[in-house]
Amino acid sequence: MLAKVDLPETDDSKRRTPWRLLVRPRPNPHEAAIGYLIRVAQANGFLTPRQLWLATLSSQGPMTFDELTDWMGIPVDSRKTLLGPVPHYWKSTPTLLSGLCVNDYNHHFIRWCPRCLKDAPNLRNSWGLKLQCVCTEHRLLLADQCPHCGARQRIERNNLCRCLCGASLDGCDQIAAPPNLCQLNEKLAGGLAAKPPFPALAASEWHRLVRFLGQFTTESQPERPGQISGLHHLDVASAIMRNTADLLAEWPNNFNVLLAAIQGLMSPSQSLRRSFGRIYRVLYRDLRAPGFQFLRDAFETYLHEHWWGFVCKRNRSLSPDTVANHPRLTEGTAAREAGTSRAVVRHLVQAELIPGIEGELPSGRRVRSIHQGDIQRIVALAEGAMSLTEAAELLALPERRIREMVAGELLTPLVSRRAMKAAAWLFSREQLSKLSQL
């Protein structure tokens, strides 16, 4: 189907004998480069794009994809709209979506929207992305398997609309995609502007976000975030995309659920890295670009509300405001701010008069953290402390009986002469009042 054209002896003709195709289809809007190549092969009677390439072989070597489109008379502007890679043997520099690399595209199998394929037999350039699993025009899930035999459709083919078994590919089920999944796919294809609370990320940045966050679930963390095996298969890509879309939905509520689940899976630790595992590294190293700051902001807000441990200047990855305003305090710091002793604070926690969370440092030493909001309560409890004599008068019991109640752990003193070798006993007025009402 190729006709050799005799041209005058020029420098160009000496370098390569030009060939001209008898059938030269025009590119369609938003068409994939490989899809166009398949249509050219089919229109000229070749079984695959490789057969078309073999037919261009000459003493000067094979023809490149750019030379092919040039000799077919395709304008440069039209060539630039053919996005995505072509088979390596065409030796062409691909035109890719801004910021993406060749590895972001499929090189083995095609995907399609049944409705689009029925309307116009060509492949859209966005369908070639490994992560793309939705037709953003019809908001339908893409297909990559024959509806009759279930075979995945390879790129080396001459018919975009039929499987080798003869079944029509536009007969696949048309399954509507969830709205949040459609929105994420539109962002990957660079066709949807971000809305608050998300920043204006480029398509390449959305791809990176999905690759690094899409494998985190409430049950497990990935061994190697960002490295996803089998992403060129639609079922794998769909699972990653669905997980990311759900994670970003109702931001940041679902993200907080994920952080809480990961924290529950890890052993309790004062270290943020040990408490949150690989997602901590992803947020502060793999996704450290300024555009992903909204992820770190949500994480640090979660720390402010739910992290039991301490944050200090050694946490250099966190923002200065997070370090300065973290509400969890050590017993010693809480005691200094309340104007009392550390022992009093510890006894208040042991008596469950104020909440305190206990954890273990890497050294094995156990520490308690107190919330900043409980300082005023510590002050009030310490100021209302009563001596042993005053406690006995309030309960109308002898002092001996009060000591017996302490020994039997029915009453927890703020200051114990036995445990702390203090000069006097101190009891919480609030605790004594509760006992007096029994």
Side-chain angles (χ1 to χ4, degrees):
M1 289 296 182
L2 287 176
K4 186 175 180 179
V5 180
D6 295 326
L7 296 177
E9 289 293 327
T10 63
D11 292 338
D12 290 339
S13 61
K14 289 178 181 178
R15 286 195 297 269
R16 181 182 302 281
T17 303
W19 295 83
R20 185 163 296 171
L21 297 176
L22 297 180
V23 182
R24 293 174 289 171
R26 302 288 92 182
N28 291 313
H30 311 296
E31 186 170 14
I34 181 60
Y36 177 67
L37 202 54
I38 294 171
R39 287 202 302 118
V40 172
Q42 179 182 2
N44 287 275
F46 295 102
L47 295 179
T48 62
R50 180 176 286 274
Q51 280 198 0
L52 173 62
W53 172 77
L54 290 173
T56 68
L57 291 175
S58 67
S59 59
Q60 287 80 26
M63 185 181 294
T64 67
F65 180 70
D66 293 333
E67 290 172 333
L68 176 68
T69 54
D70 186 29
W71 285 331
M72 288 174 61
I74 306 299
V76 175
D77 291 343
S78 297
R79 268 184 268 170
K80 291 181 178 179
T81 65
L82 296 171
L83 298 183
V86 296
H88 65 89
Y89 47 81
W90 281 98
K91 300 186 183 301
S92 173
T93 301
T95 303
L96 308 177
L97 194 64
S98 178
L100 297 186
C101 63
V102 173
N103 191 46
D104 292 315
Y105 287 82
N106 270 316
H107 301 269
H108 303 286
F109 305 104
I110 63 170
R111 299 173 187 173
W112 64 93
C113 166
R115 189 178 300 178
C116 286
L117 204 62
K118 190 171 185 178
D119 295 340
N122 64 83
L123 297 181
R124 311 301 192 270
N125 52 50
S126 62
W127 300 348
L129 297 170
K130 286 183 178 179
L131 289 173
Q132 198 78 8
C133 58
V134 169
C135 169
T136 55
E137 179 181 350
H138 297 113
R139 308 179 83 78
L140 299 175
L141 296 179
L142 296 181
D144 73 336
Q145 292 179 286
C146 171
H148 178 70
C149 68
R152 286 191 171 91
Q153 303 302 301
R154 301 192 67 85
I155 283 177
E156 289 293 337
R157 61 194 302 109
N158 76 328
N159 194 322
L160 290 173
C161 298
R162 290 196 176 276
C163 175
L164 289 176
C165 72
S168 177
L169 298 181
D170 59 21
C172 296
D173 294 335
Q174 298 183 14
I175 304 174
N180 60 343
L181 186 59
C182 291
Q183 292 174 6
L184 183 57
N185 276 265
E186 289 177 342
K187 292 171 183 174
L188 291 179
L192 181 66
K195 298 180 180 179
F198 305 115
L201 297 179
S204 58
E205 292 178 306
W206 282 111
H207 276 259
R208 186 169 181 82
L209 185 149
V210 172
R211 283 177 176 267
F212 278 95
L213 284 186
Q215 289 179 289
F216 286 93
T217 68
T218 55
E219 290 81 24
S220 64
Q221 300 187 67
E223 288 292 331
R224 296 181 178 180
Q227 300 182 25
I228 306 173
S229 176
L231 197 58
H232 58 286
H233 292 308
L234 182 59
D235 53 347
V236 176
S238 296
I240 297 296
M241 288 290 290
R242 286 177 182 273
N243 192 44
T244 308
D246 291 340
L247 184 64
L248 298 177
E250 300 180 13
W251 185 262
N253 295 338
N254 294 342
F255 184 62
N256 290 341
V257 171
L258 174 66
L259 294 176
I262 291 175
Q263 192 177 355
L265 292 173
M266 308 301 290
S267 300
S269 171
Q270 170 62 21
S271 168
L272 285 173
R273 286 183 175 86
R274 292 189 181 95
S275 295
F276 292 95
R278 295 177 183 87
I279 198 169
Y280 183 85
R281 175 189 172 93
V282 166
L283 294 177
Y284 288 94
R285 290 196 61 180
D286 300 312
L287 299 178
R288 62 180 177 273
F292 302 117
Q293 183 61 42
F294 77 99
L295 296 172
R296 293 185 288 277
D297 290 342
F299 176 74
E300 293 178 18
T301 300
Y302 174 87
L303 293 182
H304 186 88
E305 298 175 358
H306 303 288
W307 171 240
W308 71 270
F310 312 117
V311 171
C312 55
K313 291 182 180 179
R314 66 183 177 85
N315 299 109
R316 291 185 292 271
S317 297
L318 305 181
S319 68
D321 288 343
T322 298
V323 174
N325 299 320
H326 190 65
R328 305 304 301 192
L329 307 173
T330 63
E331 285 181 349
T333 303
R336 285 194 299 272
E337 293 194 9
T340 186
S341 69
R342 182 175 177 177
V344 169
V345 174
R346 183 169 65 251
H347 278 73
L348 289 174
V349 174
Q350 292 173 343
E352 298 183 355
L353 297 175
I354 60 169
I357 303 177
E358 187 175 277
E360 185 175 336
L361 296 176
S363 63
R365 184 168 65 91
R366 301 196 70 80
V367 294
R368 292 187 184 89
S369 66
I370 312 299
H371 197 278
Q372 178 75 45
D374 292 321
I375 296 298
Q376 293 302 317
R377 179 163 173 76
I378 295 174
V379 172
L381 289 170
E383 289 178 348
M386 304 181 70
S387 65
L388 178 63
T389 301
E390 292 171 333
E393 291 177 356
L394 179 64
L395 295 179
L397 294 172
E399 293 182 9
R400 172 182 55 80
R401 182 58 179 156
I402 299 297
R403 293 191 185 93
E404 291 175 353
M405 293 174 68
V406 172
E409 299 182 353
L410 297 176
L411 183 62
T412 302
L414 297 177
V415 176
S416 169
R417 291 189 62 185
R418 293 178 181 175
M420 304 166 56
K421 297 181 181 180
W425 296 82
L426 283 181
F427 296 90
S428 165
R429 181 183 295 273
E430 182 178 344
Q431 189 181 25
L432 292 172
S433 297
K434 290 180 180 179
L435 288 175
S436 67
Q437 296 173 3
L438 296 178

